Amino acid sequence: MSDTPVSRQDLPLGTLDMLILRTLTLGSLHGYAIAQHIAKLSDGVLRVEQGSLYPALERLLNKGWVTAKWAESPTKRQARYCTITRTGRKQLELKESTYAQVSLAIARVMGKA
Amino acid sequence: MSRLDGVLHRLRVLVRGERYADEVARELRFHRDLDELAAMGDSLGNETYYREEVRRMTLTTWLDRIRQDVSYAFRGLRRSPGFTAAVVLTLGLGVGVNGAMFSLLSRLFMLPPSGVERPNELRRVYATFDNEPGQRITIATLQYPQYAAMRDAVDSSIVLGIFIGADSTAMRDGNARVPTMVDYVNPDYFRVLGVRASRGRLFTADENHIESPTPVAVLSDAYWRKAFGADLTVIGRKVRIDRQVVTIVGIAAPDFTGVDVNATDLWLPANTYAGGGGYNDMPWYRAFGASFHVVFRPRTAADEQRVLIAGTNAVRPVNVKGWVYDSTITLTTGPILSALGPGKQSSDMIVANRIVGVVVFVLIIAAANIMNLLLLRTAQRRREIAVRRALGVSRGRLFEQIATEAVILAIGGSVVALAFAFWTGTALRRLILPRVHWPGGVIDGRTTTFVVATSIVVALATAVLPSLEAGRTDLTDSLTSGSRPTGRRTSGSRTTLLVVQTALCVVLLVGAGLFLRSVQNVTSIDLGFDFEDRLFFSAAFDDASAHATELGSAIPEAVQRLRQVDGVIAAAYMDYAPIVGYSVRPVILPGHDKLPQLADGERGPTVGSVSPSYFAAVGVPLLMGRDFTTADSREAASVAIVSQRLAKLYWPNENPLGKCVQLGRDAPCTRIVGVVGDTHRMSIIEKPATQMYLPIAQTTSAPRQIAVHVRPGREVAVTRAADEILRSLVTDPVLIQARRFADVTRRELRPWRLGATLFTALGILALAVAAVGIYSVVAYGVSQRTHEMGVRIALGARRADIVDLVLSEAVRVAAFGAALGIVVSLAMGRLIASLLFGITPANPVVLAAAGLILGVVAAIAALIPAWRASSVNPVNALRAE
């Protein structure tokens, strides 16, 4: 079964925020670019739907982890660019370390099974 | 800052509303267009869904949640009206009394004098010097010669305003007599304070010459309205203040009532000052006499320093006749609010300060009580909370709900508190500081803010512990049917709170006890007189000296006629009424170089010039010999009566009758014909003194006062008769004064009476709150132990055993609290020690009584639930599960 092609996967709950924050550490990006970046880095496995991306961004905006600003995109169109804040970075660190612990634990369990 | 970013974002969404949704839609379109460009049109989101999502996450849900919490809280509170009432009432009383105190103190410590220009720039001058060697004191006044030296020394651009401070006297306008607060000031006083006249004028430079009195007066606006009905023709009118006729020249701007809290009604130029002071033939303004407050307005700090240095250098060499100042006298400055200055505070102010501590105690007791009630409520709702938690209500949400409930209770409490603060504040104003000018009502914006904020803080603070308790609720345990709460921790914190409450309550009761005992001690001091049914009469004139001869014959005649009046037991006349004044004369005891002195008493005897029956009239017992008679006339041999203490001091172990003293060198012998009881000379609390009495006919003293001993109930009739008799005997008296002897000492008793009243009232309040606390905790404990009680009764426990069981627990808590309270009282005793008389804070009787009262109240509060527990029907109790 290991050669079954990996299809589009739904993200585990809570990881989307982490992925968005991680992506934003590259710089200010608009929503589309964030989705593209996540898809590209995961070889198309992780696909972020608009229906979850924008609510997630809104959530991050509400928490103050991200700020947004309308600006001109390279294609001369107006787009909303998101930037990670200092609290956002701190939260990302926290999430990353938790994630690292959890995924290590899962790997161990799976490895021993 | 990031958290702020989040808040700002929410706000933006809130404010922009639909436009924000449009923005979002635009963003989505952008995304879709790019998607299409990438030929991946299958990941389209739903615009409407997204709009809804955005909205859900921001304001509406938030408002919704609040609405839910509020209605939930209201439902809960309506279900337990007893709890709600107890919390609202406790909070209201505790915060209310603090609000009243706040309103009072904010006037004294925070509000600058009204009607004064930029009051914060003004500085008040203080003088620091050695009152006695090693005893350095700071006072807020200078003697006039000191002020004059300072004024001449400082830069001419510095204006020094001076005032004595409002004192009560009477203003007479025609036949009307109006109690009036009068102050003496210089013209610069108004200038430095920036006060203008609203009508007429203020004092001019002509009224600055201290040697030549200029009898003019300026009225305060409030007084002009009150005493003259805002009559515009009042300017130019002549009225009488004390013994001088003054012309009203102006009315000060509205709101201005002087610098200090005692409101001034009428200002006179300092040169008209006629009260006391002076030294030999020197006028008062050259000697020790009137004390003036000095205020000025420095432009800079350096300016202020220059004034102080020049002032200090000028004041040091001044020789104030009649008083010796040490050469290190130094001037300093303080703020214009005298309550904040370095000087000594009046005893009323000290009492007010102590009361602050006491009302904070009441608030702590109330807070402890509320926390207890909230803990009980949480315990009662364990199952409900557990169900909600099991259904997925987050802990944060639970806290939110408890906080909402607290805020609603706080709002209810604030309403009660404001009403209570209004009531107590009005009473406190009248009781503590009756003479202070209060520009606003008791409840102003500041007090309201204070009351509401304090209520909310107290309610939220007291909700912390209960909400932690609620968050800790163990689901399985609480949901298991029939389980009884095992929360040892909860009941532990409840007991701790109860102990704190009862301890503080005992501290207040101890304070009340100490003040009550002080009042008792002070009032039981024997002044040597009998104050019951004794009256004094005198006649006041514009110019008393012009009537001296007339009075010399009129007063003895009046006394003769008064003795015929029905209801008069004894009547006499004298130069000065006792306690009010006394005179001294050189006394020589033949065979002694110096007069013998009492070990720690007053120096030298006071000399009273009195008529026959004086001792009967004022209630001083005649111990040996005889009273004066009409035979002791100017021509007869000079005689004297002495007090017992004087007799023992001058002629120890000898019979004083017939002994000789000389009134002045080479004076003939004055024989002692009688010995009377010792009396106080000026006040309730004073060192022992010696007295000598001479027949007024044999002295140069003029009769001034009439003393009458009346039969009980005849006071009014005799007063009317005395008024008639005196008016018929003297020409044109301004008024006939009648005073009760007992009133003379009333003013002196004030600080103790005040302390006793306030401590007792607050002690009772605290006791009531503590009783509610004990009752609710015991009642709850009993309701939780119905099952246990049922078992006990089923096994044969008698009612008395059950009552005993419940009571002993409550009494144990109370006893512990009382013990703690007594320890705290002992530690805090020194704070009020200076306000007590004849009792130390560590008085075992008072401490024990306070503990006992608390114990009894605790037992009574616990008795009702104990009784209820004992009447549990075992069958019902056991079946209930």
Side-chain angles (χ1 to χ4, degrees), chain A residues 32 54 58 70 77 80 87, chain B residues 2 9 20 31 33 35 50:
Chain A
Y32 181 76
Y54 288 97
E58 197 64 32
W70 283 90
R77 281 186 61 176
R80 196 157 74 142
T87 322
Chain B
S2 303
H9 177 73
Y20 185 75
H31 193 121
D33 292 352
D35 261 352
Y50 181 41

Side-chain angles (χ1 to χ4, degrees), chain B residues 647-683:
Chain B
K648 283 202 177 124
L649 181 68
Y650 289 9
W651 304 284
N653 309 318
E654 282 179 82
N655 183 353
L657 297 182
K659 288 283 188 298
C660 168
V661 292
Q662 286 171 288
L663 302 171
R665 204 159 294 286
D666 306 325
C669 232
T670 297
R671 299 278 165 196
I672 309 301
V673 294
V675 176
V676 293
D678 294 306
T679 66
H680 281 217
R681 51 161 80 177
M682 274 308 262
S683 52

Side-chain angles (χ1 to χ4, degrees), chain A residues 12 15 18 94-112:
Chain A
T15 47
M18 178 174 77
L94 253 162
K95 281 182 191 290
E96 275 177 346
S97 70
T98 323
Y99 174 74
Q101 279 171 16
V102 172
S103 67
L104 184 68
I106 291 173
R108 274 196 191 135
V109 173
M110 298 314 282
K112 289 207 175 114

Side-chain angles (χ1 to χ4, degrees), chain B residues 584-599 602-607 640-657 659-663 670 672 674-675 678 681 689-693:
Chain B
V584 291
R585 279 179 70 167
V587 175
I588 292 159
L589 185 57
H592 287 74
D593 291 341
K594 272 172 67 183
L595 279 181
Q597 296 289 332
L598 288 170
E602 307 276 2
R603 292 163 174 277
T606 61
V607 175
I641 293 176
V642 295
S643 66
Q644 192 177 20
R645 201 180 284 126
L646 185 143
K648 283 202 177 124
L649 181 68
Y650 289 9
W651 304 284
N653 309 318
E654 282 179 82
N655 183 353
L657 297 182
K659 288 283 188 298
C660 168
V661 292
Q662 286 171 288
L663 302 171
T670 297
I672 309 301
V675 176
D678 294 306
R681 51 161 80 177
T690 51
Q691 289 94 18
M692 180 175 290
Y693 302 91

Side-chain angles (χ1 to χ4, degrees), chain B residues 451-467:
Chain B
V451 163
V452 174
T454 312
S455 296
I456 290 179
V457 167
V458 169
L460 286 179
T462 51
V464 169
L465 195 59
S467 53

Side-chain angles (χ1 to χ4, degrees), chain A residues 30-32 47 49-51 53-55 58-59 61-62 64 67 70 73 77-80 85-87, chain B residues 2 5-6 9-10 13 20 23 26-28 30-35 38 42-43 45 49-50 54 57-58:
Chain A
H30 50 70
Y32 181 76
R47 296 272 298 271
E49 300 283 353
Q50 281 188 34
L53 171 66
Y54 288 97
E58 197 64 32
R59 203 158 50 228
L61 282 166
N62 279 346
T67 56
W70 283 90
S73 73
R77 281 186 61 176
Q78 288 287 316
R80 196 157 74 142
T85 64
R86 228 170 16 170
T87 322
Chain B
S2 303
D5 287 333
H9 177 73
R10 281 169 204 239
V13 174
Y20 185 75
E23 233 174 70
R26 196 145 61 97
E27 188 174 16
L28 284 184
F30 173 71
H31 193 121
R32 195 173 47 203
D33 292 352
L34 288 184
D35 261 352
D42 58 337
S43 62
Y49 164 76
Y50 181 41
V54 169
M57 264 183 289
T58 53

